[in-house]
Amino acid sequence: MKASFIHLFSRLNLLILQFIIFVILNILDGHSTWKVLYPDKHHREMNPLARWVFRKLGVTKGIITYKTVLILIIGILFGHYAKKDTFSLNVILSVANIVFLITVVHNYKVYRKIHHSQRKSDKTSELDGEEIS
């Protein structure tokens, strides 16, 4: 069992697949973050470094810049170390992908909750302006 786990996580093909999943999850994280923060709700961002970038560059530009730099740095590092320590990189990417998946699901849930409460609020304010006969 342990040998098959080590063999599986030592495969370069798995690392490539994991990196593709990592990029897709980061794109989804960027989109879900944008949905929650746009246009200027920086205080909702939990990552202090990302929040600082979003304040400086704006939400859209900040997300694109932050995610591009992150993916490029990790891609370069993984490209350099891929053949030297494939096993460790596969384990790291597995954990990162699980974390990003949880983050993306959470972000979309937050967006749905915010969007739902805003729609409720809009309906209430529409009724506030109407006269009741």
Side-chain angles (χ1 to χ4, degrees), residues 122-133:
D122 290 345
K123 287 179 183 177
T124 304
S125 61
E126 287 174 12
L127 293 175
D128 289 342
E130 291 181 14
E131 293 180 7
I132 301 174
S133 49

Side-chain angles (χ1 to χ4, degrees), residues 27-94:
I27 291 168
L28 290 171
D29 180 48
H31 178 258
S32 62
T33 299
W34 182 84
K35 301 274 284 174
V36 171
L37 300 183
Y38 189 80
D40 60 356
K41 305 292 188 221
H42 309 108
H43 65 279
R44 292 179 181 157
E45 176 57 50
M46 301 299 285
N47 179 336
L49 178 60
R51 186 177 32 224
W52 179 82
V53 171
F54 301 160
R55 280 190 183 134
K56 294 293 181 190
L57 300 178
V59 173
T60 305
K61 229 174 170 178
I63 289 171
I64 292 168
T65 302
Y66 188 81
K67 291 297 181 180
T68 301
V69 169
L70 174 73
I71 290 169
L72 283 175
I73 289 172
I74 291 177
I76 290 167
L77 289 172
F78 277 36
H80 179 74
Y81 291 106
K83 289 190 179 181
K84 295 176 187 172
D85 197 2
T86 308
F87 176 81
S88 295
L89 294 178
N90 268 315
V91 171
I92 291 167
L93 267 181
S94 294

Side-chain angles (χ1 to χ4, degrees), residues 90-125:
N90 268 315
V91 171
I92 291 167
L93 267 181
S94 294
V95 172
N97 286 342
I98 290 167
V99 169
F100 272 108
L101 179 62
I102 291 167
T103 302
V104 167
V105 170
H106 171 73
N107 285 351
Y108 282 120
K109 284 181 180 179
V110 169
Y111 170 73
R112 216 178 0 206
K113 183 179 176 184
I114 292 167
H115 187 69
H116 180 71
S117 67
Q118 283 176 345
R119 285 185 27 214
K120 239 181 175 178
S121 172
D122 290 345
K123 287 179 183 177
T124 304
S125 61

